Amino acid sequence: MDVISQALALALDPFVLLVVVISAAFGMFVGAMPGLTATMAVALLVPVTFFMDPVPALAAIVTASSMAIFAGDIPGALLRMPGTPASAAYVGETYLMGQRGQVNLALGTTLVASALGGLVGVAALILAAPMLAEVALKFTSFEYFWLASLGLSCAVFISSTNPLKGFLSLLVGLALCTIGIDPTAGVPRFTFGNVDLMGGISFIPAMIGLFAISEILRGVMRLRSKTPPPLAQTGGIFTSVLPLLGRHKFNVLRGSVLGTCIGALPGAGADIAAWIAYAVSKRFSKTPEKFGTGHVEGVVDATSANNSAVAGSWIPALVFGIPGDSLTAVVIGVLYMKGMNPGPMVFLNNPQLIYAVFIIFIIANLVMLPLGWAAIRLARPILRVPKRMLLPVILVFCIVGAFAMTNSVFGVILMLALGLLGWIFEENDFPVAPIILGLVLGPMFEQTFLTSMIKSDGSFLAFFERPIAGVLGVATLLVWGVVLFRGIQRLLSGTPAQPDGPVTPANQGADHR
Amino acid sequence: MRLNDAVFGLIFIALGLTMILIASGFPAFPGQPYGAALLPTLLGGGFIICGGLLCLRGWRVRAGGMAMADPALKEPGTLVSMALVVVLILAYILFSDPVGYVPFMAVALTLLLLRFGNRPLPALAVALLTTVVSQWFFGRILLVPLPRGILEGLF
C-alpha cells in the first residue's frame, strides 16, 4: 500500500532512527532518576522537538515517554524508590525480590513485560484509532463539546484524591487560556495592554514551569536527604525471564489489555493503570497471600499495564484531540504546533504521518529491550549521579528551552511564574496535571460551546438532540452527579475533609508522573 | 509550605471576583447572547463557589493552624538554596540581555553548584560544559537567538 510505504520511509529515515535512539537513552536516564518524572523528560524534550519535522518530533516524545515509564522500575527494585509514579504500585515487590538476590530477574521481567505490554497497546492503537476516526468524522461541535467536557471531568474527578482541589486546578488552567485574543470574537482578554500576553500563555514554557521547575524546587528541598545504597546486582537479566513470563503469560495479556483500556479513558494514565492492574492481579490470583512478599505475579500485570497505557492514551489524543493525561496533553500541544491538528481529519489528510507514528511506537518498544538491558547494567553508576549536580544542569536546560519557545525572556517569565504556582499547588495537594489539561482543552471547550450555541440559536436542548452528543452529555452529567452527590453526602454527615476517590493508593502522586 | 485551605479559598474568591469584574467590560458578540465574557464569567463563578467550599473546609480544620512549613523548609540552608533557584531565573530575565548567555550562565551556574555543596573544580567544569553544550545546541544547531551581551562580535 502506498500510505504504508510512505509511512515506512518517514519512520525508517536515518535521522528519525537517530532521534529514537537518543531520546530513548534520555528517557531511560530521566525515568531512572528518582524524582524526575516521565512528564519532566518530555517537558525538557519538547523545546528541541519544536525545531524538528512532525515525525521525528513525535518519535522523540513517544520513545522518551515509553522508556521513562519502564526505567522507573529500575530504582524501584534497587532503592525502593519509584523512578516515576507509574512504578509506585509495585516497588515493594521488586525491592523484596532484589533483597533475595533476584534484582536482575525482577528487572529483566519488568523489561520484557513492559515491552510486550507496550506492543499490545500499540496493536490496540493501530486497530482502534482508524475505526474510531471513521465514527468521529460525523462529529459536530456538539459532540466535541461533550467530549471535551467529559475528558476534563474525568481527568479531575477520577484521577485526583481531592476532587475539589482538582477542579480548582482545572479552573486555573482554563482561566489561563482565556488570556489573550478570544477565539470567536477577537477581543483581547486579560492582557492588560501587554503585547506578549496578547499571544496567550504559550503552552511549552508553562509546561516546563509546571513539571520541571516545580520538580527542581522540590528536589532542592530534599537535597540533604541521603539516598540508601542500591542493592547489589547478580545474575543475568534475560536468563530465566522467558520461562517465568511463560508461566505468567495470561498476566501479561490481562495487564496489557487492562492498561490499554485505562490509558484510553480520558483522565487516567499509566500510574492509575498500574495500580488497578496490580489490584486486579491480587484479586484473581490463586495465591493472593504471596502478594507483598516479593511475588512476581502482580509485578507482571502492573508493569505490562503501565506501558500499554502509554499507547492506549494516544487513542483519544489522536482521534479526538482529547488528552487522557499530562503526557498526551503535551503531545496534542506539539501536534497543534506542527499544524497536524489532532482529530479524525488527520487520518484522511495525513495518514502517512499517523502510520509513521504507529511504526515508531513499535520500534520504540523493540528498542526498549537492548537499551533497557544496558540501563539495568549501568544502573548503579546512573543512580550515583548526584542530585546536587543534576538539578542545576536541568535548570539551565529549562531556561534555554523556555527562552527558545518565544525567543525572548517572556517564555522564561512564564516558566518561572508557573513553576512557583506548580510548586505551591503540589505542596498543598492541588494536582498540577489538570492545569495543563485545561490549558490544552480550553480553546476547544470554549469554541465548540460558542459555535454550538450560534448553531442552535441559544437553545441548550440542542446539546442533547444528536444521539452521540446525547449519550456523551448524559455521561458527563452522570460523572458530575456522582461527585456532587458524594460531596453533599459528606457535607451532611459532617466528616472533615478527607482524601476520597478510589480507595487504592493510586492517588498518591497520581497527578505528577 | 502548607497553608490552610481557607487561605486558598479567599485567594480564589478574590480571583473570581476580579475576573467577573474585568469580563463585564468585554464587548458583546453582535447578535449573540453569549460572547467573549461568557467563559471568564463562568470560570469566575466557579472560582467563587469552589473557593467558598475550600474556606468552609479550612474553617473546620482551623485548629491545625493557618500555615505549616515542611520540615525540610525549616532548615535555613534549604530555604536559601530554593530561593537561589528563583533568583537565578529572575537574574536571567533581567540581566541575560546585557551580559550575554554564555558569561551569565557560566558564572550563575558555578555559584549555584557551589552553593549546593559541590567541590569547586567539578562545579566549574560542569558549569562550563553545560553552558558550552547548551549554547552550541540551542544557539548553533537550533538557531535560537541567545543573547550575546558582552561577547557581541567575538563568535
Side-chain angles (χ1 to χ4, degrees):
Chain A
M1 271 190 9
D2 192 36
V3 176
I4 303 280
S5 56
Q6 274 181 24
L8 274 171
L10 281 170
L12 299 180
D13 179 78
F15 176 68
V16 175
L17 294 177
L18 183 71
V19 167
V20 165
V21 172
I22 294 174
S23 38
F26 173 74
M28 283 282 176
F29 177 77
V30 177
M33 296 301 293
L36 309 188
T37 60
T39 317
M40 184 176 179
V42 173
L44 288 170
L45 254 184
V46 168
V48 180
T49 63
F50 185 72
F51 298 92
M52 297 177 182
D53 288 334
V55 171
L58 292 171
I61 296 173
V62 167
T63 326
S65 51
S66 307
M67 298 303 148
I69 296 286
F70 155 69
D73 297 349
I74 297 175
L78 290 171
L79 300 170
R80 206 187 178 123
M81 289 163 107
T84 62
S87 307
Y90 48 92
V91 277
E93 301 278 12
T94 48
Y95 187 72
L96 285 170
M97 281 180 79
Q99 280 189 323
R100 288 205 305 260
Q102 295 178 322
V103 174
N104 284 352
L105 177 63
L107 286 175
T109 310
T110 58
L111 174 59
V112 179
S114 291
L116 290 174
L119 288 173
V120 172
V122 180
L125 173 67
I126 294 174
L127 289 175
M131 283 192 319
L132 277 173
E134 291 275 326
V135 180
L137 276 176
K138 301 194 185 73
F139 281 16
T140 60
S141 60
F142 296 104
E143 281 84 4
Y144 276 109
F145 169 75
W146 283 120
L147 266 177
S149 315
L150 186 64
L152 290 173
S153 315
C154 289
V156 167
F157 297 131
I158 293 178
S159 66
S160 147
T161 39
N162 196 325
L164 180 62
K165 288 189 168 177
F167 185 61
L168 273 163
S169 294
L170 175 66
L171 287 180
V172 170
L174 290 172
L176 283 173
C177 77
T178 61
I179 297 175
I181 304 279
D182 135 65
T184 39
V187 180
R189 298 188 291 195
F190 305 110
T191 55
F192 309 104
N194 182 311
V195 181
D196 286 321
L197 284 179
M198 296 267 264
I201 299 291
S202 352
F203 159 76
I204 295 172
M207 187 190 60
I208 297 177
L210 284 173
F211 291 105
I213 296 295
S214 67
E215 296 283 349
I216 291 174
L217 288 173
R218 240 193 318 283
V220 174
M221 252 167 86
R222 318 253 140 79
L223 209 53
R224 283 155 187 254
S225 51
K226 286 264 181 291
T227 41
L231 293 177
Q233 285 170 280
T234 47
I237 292 168
F238 288 135
T239 42
S240 63
V241 164
L242 284 183
L244 191 149
L245 283 179
R247 279 201 303 282
H248 293 293
K249 54 182 178 292
F250 179 66
N251 297 67
V252 176
L253 193 66
R254 182 175 60 194
S256 315
V257 172
L258 203 61
T260 314
C261 296
I262 295 170
L265 279 180
D271 36 11
I272 299 192
W275 283 108
I276 294 181
Y278 184 80
V280 166
S281 176
K282 187 172 178 183
R283 171 77 182 72
F284 291 103
S285 169
K286 287 191 193 80
T287 53
E289 71 282 355
K290 284 192 185 164
F291 278 68
T293 60
H295 188 50
V296 82
E297 196 179 342
V299 177
V300 173
D301 268 286
T303 195
S304 330
N306 63 16
N307 272 81
S308 58
V310 173
S313 62
W314 278 62
I315 298 174
L318 281 180
V319 177
F320 307 117
I322 304 281
D325 54 7
S326 42
L327 274 176
T328 37
V330 178
V331 170
I332 288 174
V334 171
L335 287 171
Y336 272 115
M337 286 192 314
K338 299 284 165 206
M340 264 174 86
N341 297 4
M345 288 312 281
V346 172
F347 289 80
L348 289 185
N349 296 344
N350 293 311
Q352 75 284 7
L353 292 182
I354 297 291
Y355 285 103
V357 170
F358 291 164
I359 295 167
I360 285 160
F361 251 114
I362 298 172
I363 297 175
N365 279 293
L366 295 177
V367 163
M368 188 188 285
L369 291 171
L371 278 172
W373 177 85
I376 296 171
R377 279 269 167 251
L378 294 171
R380 285 163 69 91
I382 291 178
L383 289 174
R384 229 177 277 144
V385 175
K387 281 279 174 58
R388 58 173 196 273
M389 210 155 242
L390 196 61
L391 291 175
V393 173
I394 295 177
L395 177 65
V396 171
F397 282 94
C398 291
I399 294 177
V400 190
F403 182 91
M405 288 301 99
T406 54
N407 280 343
S408 70
V409 288
F410 178 64
V412 185
I413 299 173
L414 266 183
M415 173 192 85
L416 177 62
L418 282 154
L420 288 172
L421 181 82
W423 178 71
I424 294 173
F425 265 37
E426 292 238 309
E427 284 289 290
N428 289 284
D429 300 326
F430 285 92
V432 171
I435 303 181
I436 216 79
L437 294 182
L439 204 54
V440 168
L441 277 182
M444 177 176 177
F445 182 69
E446 184 175 19
Q447 232 165 342
T448 53
F449 181 76
L450 288 175
T451 323
S452 306
M453 275 318 220
I454 292 169
K455 276 196 273 192
S456 73
D457 226 5
S459 151
F460 283 103
L461 277 180
F463 282 90
F464 296 94
E465 272 166 6
R466 296 169 57 90
I468 298 178
V471 171
L472 291 169
V474 170
T476 313
L477 295 182
L478 269 178
V479 171
W480 276 82
V482 169
V483 172
L484 287 178
F485 175 74
R486 286 216 325 245
I488 293 169
Q489 216 178 19
R490 214 179 46 222
L491 210 66
L492 290 179
S493 67
T495 33
Q498 280 296 321
D500 49 0
V503 265
T504 50
N507 307 307
Q508 309 290 323
D511 307 299
H512 49 93
R513 61 196 180 96
Chain B
M1 194 173 61
R2 292 189 58 96
L3 299 172
N4 185 296
D5 283 348
V7 180
F8 282 97
L10 290 175
I11 295 172
F12 283 126
I13 292 175
L15 178 69
L17 286 173
T18 322
M19 279 178 74
I20 293 178
L21 198 73
I22 297 178
S24 64
F26 293 157
F29 202 51
Q32 272 299 317
Y34 308 105
L38 177 71
L39 185 66
T41 312
L42 283 178
L43 293 173
F47 276 125
I48 295 173
I49 296 171
C50 295
L53 288 172
L54 215 54
C55 281
L56 208 69
R57 197 188 267 190
W59 180 251
R60 284 187 175 168
V61 295
R62 64 190 177 281
M66 292 314 272
M68 199 176 73
D70 201 290
L73 277 180
K74 290 204 173 115
E75 285 183 46
T78 308
L79 210 57
V80 174
S81 298
M82 287 178 70
L84 267 182
V85 170
V86 177
V87 166
L88 191 146
I89 303 175
L90 275 177
Y92 183 86
I93 294 167
L94 293 174
F95 304 121
S96 64
D97 201 38
V99 176
Y101 177 79
V102 172
F104 177 89
M105 270 308 173
V107 174
L109 189 56
T110 312
L111 293 178
L112 195 67
L113 283 163
L114 286 175
R115 163 72 212 174
F116 283 7
N118 295 290
R119 275 175 286 129
L121 214 58
L124 195 66
V126 168
L128 286 178
L129 192 71
T130 310
T131 309
V132 169
V133 167
S134 56
Q135 151 71 32
W136 169 77
F137 190 73
F138 281 88
R140 281 289 171 85
I141 308 251
L142 302 181
L143 301 176
V144 176
L146 293 170
R148 295 202 168 167
I150 51 174
L151 296 184
E152 184 78 66
L154 270 184
F155 61 91

